[in-house]
Amino acid sequence: MADERVSHWEEAYREKDDTQLSWHQDDPSISLELCDVVGVDNASSVIDIGGGTSRFAERLIERGLSDVSVLDVSKAALDRSRGQLGAVGEQIEWIAADVTTWSPERSYDLWHDRAVFHFLVDADDRSAYRDQLYRCLLPGSHAIIATFALDGPKKCSGLPIVRYDPEGLCEVLGDRISLVTHREHTHHTPWGSSQSFQFSLLRVGQ
């Protein structure tokens, strides 16, 4: 399954530019707002799961953070993003890996995932993701996880997805995590269609 994901996303990023990617978002305003809710500041460490060519890491660097990592299954996506950012890209740690098989070597204050988790339709993959999240986040740390909402699309990039509301997401992630707040968001693709998302801000307990 992991090898298939690599092939799919490598092809997607090699063949399409950002204006052809339905998930592309120029302004990660909801994610940044939720960062403010938990007090992410210059001393915070953040990892962006499935960051691809997202602008989120760039915005964090602009805010003064110096410990920012981006993980994506597609090396092509990371190479493109790093090239686009120039000198700013040198301040970011780029990790080419599948989150379900990755071996994290450290912890972070914030785990950010916009639109990776909903692609994990296999229960074993969801379990592996959950294990990685808990390896990376100490008690008191936070996660922002955005997925298609219950009224969102049933597929993305030709792949099936699992839709969530905040309560359903927490149930899958287990009782070590609790919901702080959430946001509903309508994402407009580069060609103008609408997709319903939910953004959940979560806190890791003991």
Side-chain angles (χ1 to χ4, degrees):
M1 184 68 75
D3 289 342
E4 293 176 5
R5 274 197 290 272
V6 172
S7 298
H8 178 89
W9 295 112
E10 284 286 79
E11 182 178 353
Y13 280 104
R14 290 186 189 280
E15 294 187 352
K16 299 179 181 180
D17 61 30
D18 289 349
T19 63
Q20 298 172 302
L21 301 173
S22 65
W23 56 90
H24 182 70
Q25 182 185 52
D26 280 326
D27 181 14
S29 57
I30 303 295
S31 295
L32 294 173
E33 177 201 346
L34 293 175
C35 285
D36 292 337
V37 170
V38 297
V40 169
D41 59 22
N42 295 3
S44 300
S45 56
V46 178
I47 184 162
D48 188 14
I49 302 298
T53 57
S54 165
R55 304 288 188 262
F56 180 63
E58 178 185 7
R59 298 292 186 267
L60 294 177
I61 297 295
E62 290 173 352
R63 286 176 164 220
L65 275 72
S66 59
D67 189 353
V68 177
S69 302
V70 177
L71 179 146
D72 200 279
V73 71
S74 170
K75 185 177 183 298
L78 297 181
D79 288 345
R80 182 196 300 181
S81 188
R82 179 162 39 190
Q84 290 172 341
L85 294 178
V88 171
E90 299 305 314
Q91 303 176 58
I92 298 169
E93 180 182 7
W94 305 93
I95 304 168
D98 185 307
V99 66
T100 66
T101 58
W102 173 49
S103 298
E105 298 179 350
R106 53 165 298 188
S107 60
Y108 302 86
D109 297 314
L110 179 73
W111 170 290
H112 176 266
D113 164 10
R114 177 182 172 271
V116 170
F117 188 70
H118 67 198
F119 281 107
L120 303 181
V121 298
D122 183 85
D124 289 341
D125 283 340
R126 291 194 293 270
S127 178
Y129 178 105
R130 183 180 62 235
D131 291 345
Q132 305 292 43
L133 184 147
Y134 288 133
R135 288 189 183 103
C136 287
L137 295 181
L138 300 175
S141 300
H142 293 85
I144 298 169
I145 300 180
T147 68
F148 282 152
L150 295 181
D151 59 344
K154 296 180 180 179
K155 284 189 173 185
C156 181
S157 188
L159 299 176
I161 59 91
V162 181
R163 298 177 293 183
Y164 294 94
D165 59 13
E167 294 75 18
L169 180 63
C170 287
E171 182 177 351
V172 172
L173 293 176
D175 57 10
R176 286 182 57 195
I177 207 157
S178 59
L179 181 67
V180 177
T181 189
H182 75 280
R183 301 287 185 271
E184 297 176 356
H185 175 67
T186 300
H187 168 64
H188 299 287
T189 68
W191 47 89
S193 62
S194 298
Q195 297 176 332
S196 181
F197 272 80
Q198 67 81 32
F199 283 69
S200 292
L201 175 60
L202 310 162
R203 184 180 186 276
V204 177
Q206 297 294 333

